[in-house]
Amino acid sequence: MTNNTTFETLNPPQRMLMGPGPINAYPRVHQALSSSLIGQYDPVMTGYMNQVQQLYRGVFQTQNQQTMLVDGTARSGIEAVLVSILQPGDKVLIPVIGRFGHLLCEIAQRVGAKVKTIDIEWGEVCPPEAIEKAIKEFQPKLLATVQGDTSTTMNQPLKQMGEICQRYDVLFYCDATASVAGNHLKTDEWHLDAVSVGLQKCLGGPSGSAPITLSDRCAEVINRRKHIEAGIRADHHVAGDEAMIQSNYFDLAMVMGYWGPERLNHHTEATSMLYAARECARLFLEEGADQVVARHKIAGDAMASGLRAMGLELFGNPQFKMNNVVGVYIPQGIDGEKIRLELLHRFGIEIGTSFGPLHGKIWRIGTMGFNARQECVLTTLAALESILIKHKAKIIAGQAVVAAMGHYSQ
C-alpha cells in the first residue's frame, strides 16, 4: 500500500536560540535567502562571488587572495583545509582544549597524518610555551587549533602561537567557527595561514556555508597537489607534483580554480547560501569589527553577571572566556535537562547542555549575532530564574536581571 502522506506545510515554532549555536539569523539574512536563483556562470552570480571574496577579506582581516566559501556546514571547511594540506605521514600538532580539538584530531587521523596532541584540562587554554616546546620536539608541518571551543566556552589566544609558527616555519590553521565576529580574529596580524568558520554563530546566519581564507604560502602547499578532472582538463592545465588530495569535493586546489578567474567547474555553487553568507559579511562590516565584538562582549558580560547574581557558579577560567558563550554549573539537586526542556516549551528559549566530561554538569548559554541584544539577555535570565524558583533551586531571586541591566546604559 502506497503511503501518500505529504505532511503539513512547514510552520516551525518561534524560538529564541540562546544556546551555543545555531542561533536566530538576522532578518536581512532571511531576506537574502529568499532572493531569486540564477545560473552559476551568470555574470551577476560571478560578480556576487567576487563580492563575497572581498567582503570576507574584511571579516577575516586579511589580504589573502584565496578567500572563498566551501559549500557545507562549518565542519566542511575544517575538513577541506585539513584534507587539502595534510598528506599521509605528515605531522600535525593539535592543542586540545575541548570537544572540537578532538574533532581536528579525528579528521587528521582519517587523512593518515601523524597527530600529536597537547591535552589541556577543560576550562583552560594552551599556554604558548607548551606550543613552542612541542614544535621543537615534534617538528610538525601544521599546527591546528580551535579559537573558541563552545564545549568549554574558552577562547584560545592566537597571537603568540602565530609568532611561534612563523619562527619555526610551521603552517598555522585555526577553526574559528564559534568565535568569529564575537571575538577578535586578526588573520594577517596573527600570522594565520588558514582559517575556516561557519555562519551559524556570531555571524548571524544559517548553517550551510563555510567561509575560509588561505595565505599565499598555504595555497602554494595545496597547489603542489593540484589535479584537474579528466572531463574538464585542457592542454594548458598543469598538475602539481605531489600526491593528489584524497577528496574530490573538499579539494581546495580545485575549489580555488572554481573561485578564480578561469571559473574552472568543480561543483554548483550553493546560490542561496552564498546570498546568506554575503549578507552576514555586509552586516558585520557595516556595523564595524570593533563594534560587533564590543556588542558581543557587553551581552556576554551581562549574561555572566546575571547568572552570578542569581547565585550560580560559572565554569572555566574567566580570563579566557569567550565573549559569546558562558558555561554555568547546574545547581545541585536540579535535573538540568528537565529545566532546559521547560525553558523551551514554556518560554520558547533554547539553551545548551555540553559534551563529554561536562555533560549534565553545565549549561551553555550563548549571546550571538542577532541575539547579542539586551532584550534577549534579560528575557533569558528572567525565564531561567522563574523556572529554577519553580523547581525550588537554591538561588538568589530578583537580582539577575538588575545585574545584567547594569551593563547597558538604558
Side-chain angles (χ1 to χ4, degrees):
M1 185 175 177
T2 304
N3 184 348
N4 291 319
T5 301
T6 58
F7 303 106
E8 72 279 7
T9 300
L10 273 175
N11 185 28
Q14 294 294 315
R15 307 291 199 202
M16 185 187 295
L17 302 179
M18 299 297 288
I23 46 73
N24 300 96
Y26 289 108
R28 275 173 48 183
V29 175
H30 282 290
Q31 186 177 16
L33 276 164
S34 66
S35 299
S36 299
L37 298 180
I38 53 179
Q40 64 174 327
Y41 295 117
D42 187 310
V44 176
M45 181 61 177
T46 55
Y48 288 154
M49 291 173 73
N50 291 339
Q51 290 175 5
V52 163
Q53 292 187 286
Q54 183 176 330
L55 288 164
Y56 276 92
R57 290 183 191 111
V59 172
F60 286 121
Q61 297 189 32
T62 184
Q63 298 298 314
N64 290 341
Q65 176 64 30
Q66 301 301 340
T67 302
M68 68 207 85
L69 304 179
V70 174
D71 289 347
T73 63
R75 189 174 297 211
S76 72
I78 299 169
E79 186 148 347
V81 169
L82 292 177
V83 76
S84 297
I85 293 175
L86 295 172
Q87 300 185 41
D90 281 346
K91 294 180 180 180
V92 56
L93 176 65
I94 303 175
V96 177
I97 66 169
R99 181 229 165 148
F100 295 100
H102 288 298
L103 172 63
L104 300 186
C105 293
E106 172 159 330
I107 295 171
Q109 287 164 350
R110 285 173 181 261
V111 171
K114 295 178 181 177
V115 177
K116 179 179 176 62
T117 63
I118 304 174
D119 297 305
I120 303 299
E121 181 184 353
W122 284 29
E124 297 290 341
V125 297
C126 188
E129 53 269 20
I131 297 290
E132 184 162 19
K133 181 175 183 292
I135 284 177
K136 283 181 179 177
E137 292 172 355
F138 188 56
Q139 298 182 338
K141 175 182 185 178
L142 178 72
L143 171 67
T145 193
V146 176
Q147 185 184 27
D149 196 312
T150 53
S151 67
T152 66
T153 73
M154 294 294 103
N155 192 48
Q156 174 67 55
L158 301 176
K159 186 174 186 292
Q160 286 180 275
M161 282 186 170
E163 291 168 353
I164 292 165
C165 286
Q166 282 280 297
R167 201 177 310 142
Y168 293 94
D169 195 27
V170 173
L171 289 170
F172 185 19
Y173 161 62
C174 177
D175 163 26
T177 298
S179 49
V180 66
N183 308 264
H184 286 294
L185 176 66
K186 302 181 180 182
T187 299
D188 289 355
E189 185 178 327
W190 294 347
H191 305 296
L192 287 155
D193 289 294
V195 185
S196 68
V197 301
L199 304 184
Q200 73 274 18
K201 311 278 187 175
C202 302
L203 282 169
S207 179
S209 184
I212 66 166
T213 189
L214 308 171
S215 70
D216 288 347
R217 75 167 182 157
C218 186
E220 184 183 339
V221 166
I222 292 169
N223 277 325
R224 289 179 202 145
R225 306 177 68 189
K226 189 171 187 176
H227 166 81
I228 312 295
E229 293 174 18
I232 57 174
R233 190 185 307 141
D235 291 343
H236 68 276
H237 290 135
V238 179
D241 55 8
E242 294 187 6
M244 183 170 59
I245 292 166
Q246 293 179 299
S247 169
N248 178 287
Y249 189 69
F250 294 135
D251 183 329
L252 288 183
M254 288 204 288
V255 174
M256 284 189 276
Y258 180 60
W259 281 81
E262 191 175 4
R263 301 289 175 194
L264 192 62
N265 185 259
H266 174 249
H267 62 284
T268 301
E269 182 58 28
T271 310
S272 296
M273 286 307 306
L274 181 135
Y275 295 163
R278 179 179 179 274
E279 198 61 28
C280 287
R282 289 183 71 234
L283 284 158
F284 175 85
L285 295 172
E286 283 175 14
E287 187 174 351
D290 290 343
Q291 289 75 17
V292 177
V293 171
R295 173 164 59 86
H296 280 84
K297 179 165 173 52
I298 290 169
D301 287 350
M303 181 65 76
S305 291
L307 295 167
R308 280 194 300 265
M310 208 186 295
L312 301 179
E313 181 186 354
L314 304 188
F315 171 78
N317 187 336
Q319 183 183 351
F320 299 109
K321 176 192 166 302
M322 295 169 70
N323 289 333
N324 51 296
V325 190
V326 61
V328 58
Y329 283 101
I330 298 165
Q332 272 194 324
I334 293 297
D335 184 333
E337 202 59 18
K338 194 171 183 180
I339 299 295
R340 278 200 333 118
L341 286 173
E342 192 162 345
L343 191 63
L344 183 70
H345 295 307
R346 286 189 184 273
F347 291 92
I349 297 173
E350 180 181 273
I351 63 173
T353 181
S354 194
F355 307 106
L358 297 179
H359 181 71
K361 295 181 179 178
I362 70 168
W363 292 310
R364 296 176 299 152
I365 304 178
T367 47
M368 302 193 217
F370 185 57
N371 293 347
R373 294 178 288 139
Q374 179 176 189
E375 55 265 45
C376 295
V377 174
L378 302 185
T379 302
T380 301
L381 286 168
L384 179 61
E385 180 183 294
S386 66
I387 292 175
L388 287 173
I389 290 170
K390 175 178 176 285
H391 286 267
K392 297 181 169 50
K394 294 177 181 177
I395 63 168
I396 301 166
Q399 299 301 312
V401 170
V402 174
M405 285 171 65
H407 289 266
Y408 293 92
S409 57
Q410 58 181 19

